[in-house]
Amino acid sequence: MTLSTVLSLIITVFVCGILYYRMVKRESPEPIGWIQALVPIALGMATMEISGFIGVKLFYANTSLRTAVDQMPALMGSIVSAFMVAGMPEEVIKFIAIIIFAGIFKPRIKNVYEYILLGAAIGFGFTIMEEMAYSGDDTGMEMVYMLLRKISVPAHMALNMLMGEFIGIAKYRKTLNKGYSVSCYFIALFVPMLIHTLYDAFTALNRLVVNPDSFVSGIILALIGFIGFPVWIIYMLIRYKKKTGEFCSMSLLPE
């Protein structure tokens, strides 16, 4: 294991761990138990392996698709690549993981906030495995790339907290006998997928920066990704902190 990998894991577990621990402790009137808090982290770790395999099969192992993408305009190619490799397989698998865990632990999940915690835990576990997979050699560029990734290290947590929020709201509407809301499930899956796809298209899979004619445009998109995404993550974390009480009051237990 390289120094880059070790540092990446330490930073990831420290930052995401503190954020998740503080979120768990904020629940009222009492926080979830340790089994409900820790099991979905392990499930999130498994989703990374599954979605990574699917992403490779969908794109890198599909020669005809890669050829078609190579013939697309650079921006479109970046978006399609990001969608096929990361945005779609990763968010779909994590969405399924939340649904499966919620089904198994249904009697334990008391309110919408616990769905948000579930999403945070899945994202936490996913991030641990992803950072291990993406860390490389101890070269200067690899270390710089590793540090750039750490700017948005709670990204999957924020994406899946949003996912958990809207799945929880759909369940809450069901509890109120208002029926399941298709729009909530749509938002829960496709909004994180869209944000994730655009971020990867603007940064890691940005094809514009390798072409002199589009280099400036590519750099602008990269800056939007590297600056805008962390700002969005911070906004989401603050939003959930301020609205903890509101989400805790949205009970899923029958009266």
Side-chain angles (χ1 to χ4, degrees), residues 42-84:
L43 184 59
M45 295 172 73
T47 63
M48 192 276 169
E49 299 296 331
I50 297 170
S51 64
F53 175 79
I54 293 173
V56 168
K57 287 294 185 181
L58 283 175
F59 187 72
Y60 291 114
N62 191 326
T63 304
S64 60
L65 177 60
R66 285 191 291 112
T67 300
V69 170
D70 288 340
Q71 296 173 348
M72 293 178 181
L75 179 57
M76 180 61 69
S78 299
I79 293 173
V80 172
S81 299
F83 177 78
M84 298 298 294

Side-chain angles (χ1 to χ4, degrees), residues 224-239:
I224 291 173
F226 281 123
I227 296 173
F229 198 37
V231 169
W232 177 80
I233 293 169
I234 293 170
Y235 163 76
M236 294 299 288
L237 293 173
I238 293 173
R239 174 176 176 268

Side-chain angles (χ1 to χ4, degrees), residues 38-54 89-90 92-98 100 121-130 132:
L38 296 181
V39 170
I41 295 177
L43 184 59
M45 295 172 73
T47 63
M48 192 276 169
E49 299 296 331
I50 297 170
S51 64
F53 175 79
I54 293 173
E90 291 182 10
V92 167
I93 295 300
K94 288 185 289 180
F95 179 86
I96 294 172
I98 292 174
I100 290 175
I122 296 289
F124 183 11
F126 188 98
T127 303
I128 292 173
M129 299 302 292
E130 184 178 63
M132 288 182 62

